[in-house]
Amino acid sequence: MNKRDHDVLDRALDEGRLVRLRRTLPGAERLEGFVLHTGPIWTLLANCADHQLDGWTAVHTCTLHKVRDRGGEESLTIRALRGRGLWPLRLPPADLPLDDHAGLLAAASAEYGLVSLHAEHIDPGILRVGTVTELRPRSLRLHEVDTEARWYPKPGKYRLNDITRVDFGTYYTEVLREFAGPRPERNAAEAGSPA
């Protein structure tokens, strides 16, 4: 990120301005919203599309490439949010460590139940939705739900370094959480690993 983009990011953070983020990952979705915090590993964004808020996204700070200012207090988006009683923005209720790769995933999963994990440099079109059941120094286990809110039989294993984006508290994850119900009890094969 060049100095101009750093300045736009800092101004957005200080003044609550709407931004559009482009990242260095080929095929990664452009994100639009409000920068809430930025840390050495993660940058936290309140998602906003079509003048509506939709949960939070944490992206790797090192992947930020271009930051475009989309407007401040005078913008239609902020006027619409204020008119609906959604401005000023609320922060996520959980304490989210933006300087700890695994810590953010654990805190978001514990607070919201389901998180969406993206490994955009591997496949930008795929996201995994589930709850983190185990964290290790280099990997995690995610007990996923499918698009019909059904739990997979057992958790899958993913490398922490592959995760470039985490979404939580979104409309999509909340609907899946509501209809998936509680995570099924561990079966005998899982009994040896902590949940």
Side-chain angles (χ1 to χ4, degrees), residues 68-183:
R68 295 290 175 248
D69 188 325
R70 305 290 290 162
E73 292 287 329
E74 74 289 348
S75 72
L76 175 59
T77 296
I78 292 179
R79 291 177 11 231
L81 294 173
R82 186 181 297 113
R84 294 178 185 137
L86 300 172
W87 189 265
L89 291 175
R90 64 183 174 89
L91 296 175
D95 181 25
L96 302 168
L98 300 178
D99 58 349
D100 179 5
H101 204 132
L104 172 89
L105 295 164
S109 186
E111 181 68 32
Y112 295 95
L114 295 180
V115 294
S116 296
L117 304 183
H118 304 253
E120 297 156 302
H121 63 290
I122 296 171
D123 191 345
I126 299 294
L127 65 107
R128 310 267 184 219
V129 179
T131 189
V132 176
T133 62
E134 181 181 3
L135 280 164
R136 292 190 172 190
R138 293 190 180 123
S139 66
L140 66 84
R141 291 208 179 268
L142 185 75
H143 199 159
E144 295 175 59
V145 295
D146 66 17
T147 57
E148 294 296 319
R150 294 178 298 237
W151 289 98
Y152 284 30
K154 62 182 183 177
K157 184 177 177 180
Y158 300 97
R159 289 173 13 125
L160 286 173
N161 286 341
D162 289 340
I163 299 166
T164 56
R165 172 179 162 189
V166 182
D167 299 329
F168 47 93
T170 65
Y171 180 76
Y172 183 62
T173 57
E174 292 299 307
V175 168
L176 289 177
R177 184 178 64 133
E178 178 182 352
F179 289 96
R183 185 170 91 85

Side-chain angles (χ1 to χ4, degrees), residues 15-26:
E15 299 177 13
R17 300 182 68 81
L18 183 65
V19 294
R20 177 174 291 154
L21 301 178
R22 291 182 71 189
R23 291 170 298 138
T24 56
L25 303 167

